[in-house]
Amino acid sequence: MATRLDYTIASRRFAARFPMLSVVAFHVSFWVIAYSLLYGIVYLSYVATLSTYREMNGSFAGFNTLPVFICSLLYGTGTGVLDYFLERKFLRNTSLGRIMAIKAIVCLVLMICCFLLLQYVFLDLIFAGQLTQTRALVITSYNWEYLFLLVLAYTFFMTLVVNFIGEVDKKFGPGVLLPLLLGKYRRPKEEERIFMFMDLKSSTSIAEKLGHIMYSSFISDCFMDINHALFPCNAEVYQYVGDEIVVSWPAVEGLRDFSSTRFFFTCEKYIQHRAQYYLSNYGIVPVFKAGMHIGTVTAVEIGEIKRDIAYHGDTLNTAARIQGLCNEYGKRLLVSGYFFDRSGIEGHFPTREIATILLKGKSVPVRILSVETTERYAIES
């Protein structure tokens, strides 16, 4: 468990601190592997063909690895930057089909540019003085065209693969796909985690006012804005349930720098910055309430037709019950006494003892406190 958790945490920290670099590094790594595989296939085909005619020339492998690396680096960097800026910056509200079509067109142009760069800039430098050493490989404009078509078809297929991996990675979050492939979630694993249940206040009246279509668009915008606070606060979305979003942290991440507590107020601040947008489009600014608790849960991969990673344990039930008390006490953020003691937020955030109550389904009373933001953390977030 420790190895998986350490890898996942490191991946999320890197993605949070260097979002564009993490995307570029993923694409470069993928295309280095992909083009190395293509090189291996072409080389083995070359060896098999020449061996048939007993004309094997071993110099092929010696000087063709450099253009493979150059092409991988150029194309991987280009597609990484493309993925980051197109989908995350410019195509936020664009359909997935249109995003993929735009990516395909731009990737085609990018691949042509990489090939032209290799052909007219790097090729002569790489092969200078070596082409005359073997009659087995002579690159001309004629066979270069066939090589280009081969690489183009292969690149198109592998682009579908990398897009699929990217979509799976978005579903589970950074650092989860590799442990999932290695089967780390096949059996239940214990983890100490923080869970926050965030729910839209007055959701029923808002839905009646806006209607189903506008309300769905409203909720979508709210969740998109909340997602902006995930990386800065090292958070991950566990699930969306109607107008509720469940956010989670490994305990070590959620307690570090008060990340889990800051997350709620960071979301509030971002939504307030977009208040004019909400007023113009919906006539209302969303307000959320939340409950938070920390404890031990089990993580396990579930489902056959639709697979997912599920967390089970009393921690989730307690966090949900605490969130349900927000309206009763007129508070935006309520936390359990156990979370309060573990988090060390006393003296950093204004808190108020609410009550010690017996939550539904529990046999031991739970201490409840409210947490408010301060100007200091409002500015920092």
Side-chain angles (χ1 to χ4, degrees):
M1 181 180 72
T3 301
R4 175 182 58 78
L5 189 60
D6 289 344
Y7 167 77
T8 303
I9 289 176
S11 298
R12 292 186 184 278
R13 285 180 180 176
F14 185 80
R17 188 172 181 183
F18 308 105
M20 187 174 76
L21 183 58
S22 66
V23 176
V24 172
F26 165 71
H27 278 265
V28 169
S29 301
F30 176 86
W31 287 110
V32 167
I33 296 173
Y35 284 136
S36 296
L37 176 63
L38 177 62
Y39 168 82
I41 294 172
V42 173
Y43 175 65
L44 290 176
S45 300
Y46 170 81
V47 171
T49 302
L50 292 185
S51 296
T52 303
Y53 294 99
R54 302 180 183 278
E55 295 180 2
M56 176 61 192
N57 190 307
S59 62
F60 178 78
F63 59 81
N64 279 272
T65 54
L66 185 56
V68 170
F69 177 76
I70 293 175
C71 190
S72 303
L73 185 62
L74 292 175
Y75 191 70
T77 302
T79 55
V81 174
L82 169 71
D83 180 71
Y84 182 80
F85 282 102
L86 272 185
E87 188 170 349
R88 302 167 190 244
K89 299 295 183 180
F90 300 111
L91 301 178
R92 174 179 171 180
N93 296 318
T94 306
S95 65
L96 179 60
R98 183 171 296 180
I99 289 175
M100 295 188 68
I102 294 174
K103 280 186 178 181
I105 295 172
V106 179
C107 284
L108 178 63
V109 174
L110 183 62
M111 173 51 64
I112 294 174
C113 292
C114 288
F115 250 75
L116 291 176
L117 190 63
L118 279 174
Q119 182 177 4
Y120 294 108
V121 177
F122 293 106
L123 199 63
D124 291 338
L125 296 176
I126 295 170
F127 295 140
Q130 299 188 51
L131 291 178
T132 58
Q133 298 176 11
T134 175
R135 60 188 178 85
L137 180 64
V138 178
I139 296 182
T140 66
S141 60
Y142 181 73
N143 55 29
W144 184 264
E145 290 178 2
Y146 283 100
L147 180 62
F148 170 73
L149 292 176
L150 170 65
V151 175
L152 192 64
Y154 177 81
T155 301
F156 174 77
F157 174 77
M158 296 308 291
T159 298
L160 298 180
V161 174
V162 73
N163 284 336
F164 171 76
I165 294 175
E167 290 302 316
V168 174
D169 190 58
K170 290 175 187 175
K171 174 176 174 58
F172 294 108
V176 177
L177 181 58
L178 181 59
L180 187 66
L181 293 175
L182 295 176
K184 297 296 184 179
Y185 293 95
R186 297 296 288 180
R187 294 184 178 181
K189 302 288 184 180
E190 280 195 343
E191 296 182 3
E192 187 179 30
R193 300 188 70 91
I194 299 169
F195 283 90
M196 174 185 287
F197 283 70
M198 291 183 64
D199 187 42
L200 179 67
K201 290 187 67 174
S202 307
S203 57
T204 303
S205 60
I206 294 175
E208 291 177 352
K209 176 183 177 181
L210 297 179
H212 294 300
I213 301 299
M214 285 290 289
Y215 181 70
S216 295
S217 178
F218 176 75
I219 289 296
S220 177
D221 281 338
C222 290
F223 288 166
M224 289 289 282
D225 288 340
I226 289 174
N227 272 237
H228 277 83
L230 294 175
F231 274 174
C233 297
N234 305 309
E236 57 191 80
V237 174
Y238 172 45
Q239 58 185 203
Y240 301 97
V241 185
D243 53 19
E244 182 179 69
I245 179 173
V246 183
V247 186
S248 179
W249 295 259
V252 64
E253 283 295 279
L255 298 178
R256 188 169 64 94
D257 298 327
F258 314 114
S259 294
S260 54
T261 307
R262 287 191 298 110
F263 173 79
F264 180 79
F265 301 113
T266 301
C267 294
E268 280 196 336
K269 181 181 178 183
Y270 191 86
I271 290 174
Q272 286 300 319
H273 281 171
R274 301 220 326 141
Q276 189 57 48
Y277 168 83
Y278 284 103
L279 290 173
S280 300
N281 289 273
Y282 306 107
I284 188 172
V285 178
V287 177
F288 282 84
K289 57 185 187 292
M292 190 157 48
H293 184 51
I294 183 174
T296 301
V297 296
T298 55
V300 63
E301 186 180 342
I302 60 172
E304 184 62 35
I305 303 301
K306 181 184 182 299
R307 291 188 180 274
D308 208 345
I309 298 173
Y311 294 103
H312 301 132
D314 184 63
T315 302
L316 288 90
N317 297 329
T318 301
R321 304 293 187 210
I322 292 174
Q323 184 270 321
L325 298 173
C326 288
N327 284 343
E328 180 179 341
Y329 293 103
K331 298 296 182 181
R332 297 172 298 160
L333 176 60
L334 295 177
V335 302
S336 67
Y338 183 57
F339 173 83
F340 175 79
D341 295 335
R342 290 284 306 278
S343 64
I345 61 175
E346 186 175 11
H348 297 275
F349 291 85
T351 58
R352 178 184 174 187
E353 194 90 19
I354 298 297
T356 299
I357 59 178
L358 186 65
L359 297 175
K360 182 179 179 181
K362 294 189 70 69
S363 58
V364 179
V366 177
R367 186 163 144 248
I368 307 296
L369 301 95
S370 67
V371 183
E372 304 293 336
T373 188
T374 63
E375 186 62 24
R376 172 190 172 191
Y377 283 101
I379 293 174
E380 289 183 359
S381 61

